[in-house]
Amino acid sequence: MADTNFKPFVAPDVKMKELTVKSIVLGCIFGIIFGAATVYLALKAGLTVTASIPIAVIAITLGRKFFKTTILENNIIQTTGSAGETIAGGVAFTLPGFLFLSLPSSANYFDYITIFILAIFGGILGTLMMIPLRRSLIVKEHGTLPYPEGTACGDVLIAGEKGGEFAKTAFYGLGFAFVYAILQKILHIIAETPFYMTKQVNRFLPSARVSADITPEYLGIGYIIGPRIGGVLVGGGVLAWLAIIPLLATLVPADAIATQLVKLGYLASLTTPGGQGGWDPATHTFANYSSAIYYAYVRQIAAGTVAAGGFITLIKTIPTIVSSFKGSISSLSRDGVEANKGDVPRTERDLNIKIVAIGSILLVLLMAFLPQLPGDSVGQKLLIGLLVVIFGAFFVTVSSRIVGLIGTSNNPISGMTIATLMATCLVFIAIGWSGKAYEPMALVVGGMICIAAANAGGTSQDLKSGYIVGATPKYQQIALFIGAIVSSIIIGLTIKFLDKPTTDMIAKGMAPDAHAIGSLYFPAPQSTLMATLIKGIQSSSLDWQYVVVGVFLAITMELCGIKSLSFAIGAYLPLSTTLPIFLGSAIRGVVDHQKKKKNIQVSAEEEELGKGNLFATGLVAGGAVAGVLIAVLSGMNATGPLMASLNLEEGMSHALGQGGYYVLAVAFFAFMGWILYRIAKQQQKVEL
């Protein structure tokens, strides 16, 4: 039911600057920055963090000091900017899957134009389908659907309007992360991945490897997600790298591991040296057994765990899905489009409902005739377009309702995408489209639904923020369309730059024409999973025995009361990714424990704006953006050689020894963790 007593911060009859050139430009800039950072994090860690609140905080500070923006302009800034983060996550979770499909020609679709088109189409679809749902979900159910991130963001904007500066801490974190990134990724004074690995002949724990990518963004992510999720993530990594890999290293002969790597394409042949793990055909041994076993077996087991975890998450939300869809449809049938007719208040003006119908038809037609998309005929592409619109209408509704209840970070996007891919493949097989040639077409459907559902969740939160502050929905919807288009330009460029091996990667043995995405540098776990599922259904080429082990591993976790999807992602990713995230979450756990001991009570909004969260957000944004910029500079002909000449790693390793070099790096990381801890302990007074 609608809250009839609710009054927005800015009354409907108040005239105030809102959709202005400066608000759109600033929003696009933030969308570009956080979009690029999200791509980097999604490919590297398989995780994303919400950008709306950080953008709102920064917009308030910059707006008050330099641009004299109103609260409604600040709301447009965060609305426009947030589109970049949600679309980037959907793109990075699916579209790199073109690289991992059965036919080598499928990788041809992983080009800038195709990525750009699918990113824009998916982003627009997510916002388009939310236009008729806003009144039913945001307005009429204001008292029942809290939309936690949207509510917090609205409170942030109101608090900023009342006064007080609280972005300074985030800027400190961003600056610290930039300096750290220069020392680590350019000068290499700080080692990127210190590790310790036992030998294959170790009688207690053979080929066990403990490593950590000690970067600012991982520490910040860990603090933001907290000890519960951080512990489950690293738990999956511990099982994979310190239990399963040592066990298989004991039981499976090297030749069998090499044969499996050849089958999966990670090794050219049994007589060819190299490949994952560094195969030596003369001695029949690996230089790195843990890496060889990880690629040969563990990734397939973990892929089954991720798939099952996503599907279980989706099944658990079926009651919510059914009620959401029924509630939204019944609300639409009752209300019709009355909000768009006659003289309605400014705060109730949406874009015309006709835009949804016209936009959906145009989307299908464009997909049918654009040559950059997979499909041999207009008929095939028309079916793809129709499936996208049908699944999009359903999952946009589902996504919006779910984030209204449990927040964007808990939205089961992976489960929705898996369900879409399975349904699409089954439709294909039913009409006789089986085989490898149809795999890219299935990925297009799944990718666009993933992007649309992710953007719909973010759009819902933005519209909730706007409802609280008294924004004009029509202007927010326009801003979201603009943000989707502008951020998509940079998202495609970012992915392509990150896929190109840097001089550093080449120096460490990667071929100049290889793909960095899919390697240890950018594992892209969700994209690899999507491709694995499509190949398994379309071509029946999947090693189901390993996948089934992963499925029952997910079921075991659920029976133990553990969210299997987080655990599965931890098992799929290298331990070097999950361990530093866990350390950041442990700092959060210590800080929260100390607050509890001192009986310090804070609301959810105050927690979002606490100094620890803001500094951690700065670490994430600064570290990720620096990582993207450095990757771009390293890949450019003009700056690549210069970046390589600044590398001090060899000199540092020679002077300190490999062990000393790693100890120094750990000391730097510990210092950063100590600073985060000290800042997080400080209390920030927030008036809400």
Side-chain angles (χ1 to χ4, degrees):
M1 295 293 294
D3 185 355
T4 54
N5 296 319
F6 175 76
K7 299 257 189 279
F9 182 75
V10 179
D13 57 348
V14 172
K15 292 185 178 180
M16 185 182 292
K17 288 183 179 179
E18 188 169 1
L19 188 69
T20 60
V21 172
K22 63 183 174 184
S23 65
I24 289 294
V25 170
L26 286 171
C28 287
I29 291 171
F30 289 131
I32 288 169
I33 292 171
F34 281 91
T38 300
V39 168
Y40 180 85
L41 290 172
L43 293 175
K44 200 166 178 64
L47 299 167
T48 62
V49 292
T50 182
S52 293
I53 293 174
I55 291 174
V57 168
I58 297 171
I60 290 166
T61 303
L62 295 180
R64 288 172 66 89
K65 287 190 174 181
F66 303 108
F67 301 104
K68 309 302 180 189
T69 50
T70 67
I71 184 174
L72 297 187
E73 285 179 306
N74 288 334
N75 182 58
I76 290 293
I77 292 171
Q78 74 83 18
T79 297
T80 310
S82 67
E85 174 254 336
T86 53
I87 293 171
V91 169
F93 284 165
T94 53
L95 300 190
F98 284 123
L99 299 174
F100 315 127
L101 296 177
S102 301
L103 295 176
S105 59
S106 299
N108 296 334
Y109 294 111
F110 190 67
D111 66 344
Y112 174 74
I113 297 298
T114 304
I115 295 170
F116 174 63
I117 290 170
L118 294 176
I120 286 181
F121 284 5
I124 287 176
L125 182 66
T127 301
L128 204 62
M129 296 293 183
M130 265 304 299
I131 292 173
L133 295 175
R134 187 195 69 84
R135 292 192 74 233
S136 60
L137 296 182
I138 307 298
V139 178
K140 290 193 172 294
E141 299 203 45
H142 178 64
T144 55
L145 292 177
Y147 287 97
E149 289 94 346
T151 299
C153 193
D155 289 337
V156 167
L157 291 166
I158 293 170
E161 186 70 10
K162 290 181 176 179
E165 295 182 13
F166 42 125
K168 192 179 293 182
T169 308
F171 283 119
Y172 285 155
L174 195 145
F176 188 97
F178 252 97
V179 173
Y180 189 101
I182 290 170
L183 292 175
Q184 184 177 55
K185 299 179 187 294
I186 296 179
L187 300 178
H188 292 269
I189 291 172
I190 305 173
E192 291 192 48
T193 313
F195 73 90
Y196 173 77
M197 185 170 67
T198 61
K199 295 180 179 180
Q200 172 64 12
V201 294
N202 187 294
R203 61 180 295 192
F204 299 107
L205 207 62
S207 296
R209 180 183 173 102
V210 177
S211 58
D213 293 333
I214 49 175
T215 62
E217 58 268 27
Y218 286 172
L219 189 72
I221 286 175
Y223 187 90
I224 291 168
I225 66 176
R228 175 63 180 168
I229 299 176
V232 173
L233 273 173
V234 81
V238 168
L239 177 70
W241 291 84
L242 300 180
I244 295 177
I245 287 177
L247 177 64
L248 294 180
T250 304
L251 300 175
V252 183
D255 285 332
I257 299 171
T259 302
Q260 179 68 9
L261 288 173
V262 171
K263 177 183 177 182
L264 296 172
Y266 293 122
L267 180 62
S269 71
L270 292 176
T271 58
T272 306
Q276 295 295 345
W279 171 246
D280 185 344
T283 60
H284 292 258
T285 59
F286 287 97
N288 185 340
Y289 274 87
S290 62
S291 179
I293 294 170
Y294 170 70
Y295 279 97
Y297 303 107
V298 172
R299 281 191 20 142
Q300 293 192 85
I301 294 171
T305 313
V306 174
F311 207 67
I312 289 169
T313 305
L314 190 64
I315 290 172
K316 287 164 71 175
T317 56
I318 279 179
T320 306
I321 289 172
V322 173
S323 62
S324 339
F325 198 69
K326 287 171 64 178
S328 300
I329 295 301
S330 62
S331 178
L332 282 175
S333 63
R334 286 194 309 268
D335 299 330
V337 292
E338 62 196 34
N340 295 304
K341 295 180 179 179
D343 187 18
V344 296
R346 175 185 58 80
T347 53
E348 287 299 320
R349 294 174 191 162
D350 292 282
L351 288 172
N352 197 296
I353 193 72
K354 293 178 183 177
I355 292 176
V356 179
I358 295 170
S360 299
I361 294 169
L362 282 175
L363 198 66
V364 174
L365 292 175
L366 285 170
M367 291 188 68
F369 290 101
L370 282 173
Q372 290 84 2
L373 301 184
D376 295 329
S377 66
V378 172
Q380 287 184 347
K381 293 183 179 182
L382 271 174
L383 178 60
I384 294 176
L386 288 172
L387 288 175
V388 164
V389 171
I390 292 167
F391 288 133
F394 179 72
F395 282 118
V396 161
T397 303
V398 169
S399 177
S400 178
R401 188 80 172 207
I402 288 175
V403 300
L405 291 169
I406 58 178
T408 305
S409 58
N410 296 309
N411 196 8
I413 294 294
S414 294
M416 296 182 202
T417 309
I418 290 167
T420 300
L421 288 174
M422 293 177 70
T424 302
C425 289
L426 290 174
V427 169
F428 284 3
I429 291 170
I431 60 176
W433 292 4
S434 60
K436 301 175 181 179
Y438 299 100
E439 291 174 2
M441 296 167 61
L443 185 60
V444 166
V445 178
M448 283 191 62
I449 297 308
C450 183
I451 297 165
N455 195 41
T459 296
S460 303
Q461 302 289 3
D462 293 332
L463 292 173
K464 183 70 167 186
S465 302
Y467 182 64
I468 291 170
V469 301
T472 308
K474 176 180 178 179
Y475 292 154
Q476 280 192 283
Q477 289 153 2
I478 292 171
L480 284 160
F481 285 133
I482 296 172
I485 294 168
V486 173
S487 59
S488 294
I489 297 172
I490 297 300
I491 288 167
L493 289 173
T494 304
I495 286 183
K496 293 304 292 182
F497 268 116
L498 293 179
D499 190 43
K500 184 179 178 182
T502 63
T503 49
D504 235 18
M505 296 176 189
I506 295 170
K508 292 178 180 176
M510 182 176 286
D513 59 346
H515 293 283
I517 295 176
S519 70
L520 279 173
Y521 298 99
F522 296 107
Q526 284 90 344
S527 294
T528 311
L529 167 66
M530 304 308 169
T532 302
L533 286 173
I534 293 171
K535 289 190 294 184
I537 298 172
Q538 287 292 122
S539 306
S540 301
S541 60
L542 197 63
D543 285 327
W544 287 104
Q545 66 271 35
Y546 304 121
V547 174
V548 170
V549 170
V551 168
F552 281 101
L553 183 57
I555 292 172
T556 302
M557 292 301 108
E558 290 289 339
L559 292 173
C560 292
I562 296 169
K563 290 184 177 180
S564 58
L565 189 55
S566 298
F567 183 88
I569 292 172
Y572 192 96
L573 290 170
L575 185 62
S576 59
T577 297
T578 56
L579 183 56
I581 290 174
F582 169 70
L583 295 175
S585 70
I587 294 172
R588 172 69 173 269
V590 171
V591 171
D592 288 348
H593 178 69
Q594 291 183 347
K595 287 180 181 177
K596 188 176 180 180
K597 279 183 66 176
K598 295 177 181 177
N599 201 27
I600 299 174
Q601 303 291 330
V602 293
S603 66
E605 290 81 5
E606 289 174 319
E607 186 64 46
E608 289 282 359
L609 296 174
K611 288 199 170 186
N613 254 25
L614 291 173
F615 187 78
T617 297
L619 290 179
V620 172
V625 172
V628 172
L629 290 176
I630 291 167
V632 169
L633 291 173
S634 299
M636 295 173 65
N637 293 330
T639 53
L642 174 63
M643 300 280 284
S645 68
L646 295 173
N647 191 334
L648 303 177
E649 181 175 353
E650 187 176 342
M652 296 286 293
S653 298
H654 181 74
L656 301 174
Q658 193 70 37
Y661 181 50
Y662 286 164
V663 168
L664 177 66
V666 171
F668 270 104
F669 188 73
F671 175 68
M672 180 168 57
W674 178 77
I675 289 178
L676 174 59
Y677 167 74
R678 295 284 296 178
I679 290 175
K681 283 180 63 180
Q682 300 173 16
Q683 294 299 305
Q684 177 151 290
K685 193 169 184 62
V686 181
E687 294 182 9
L688 296 173

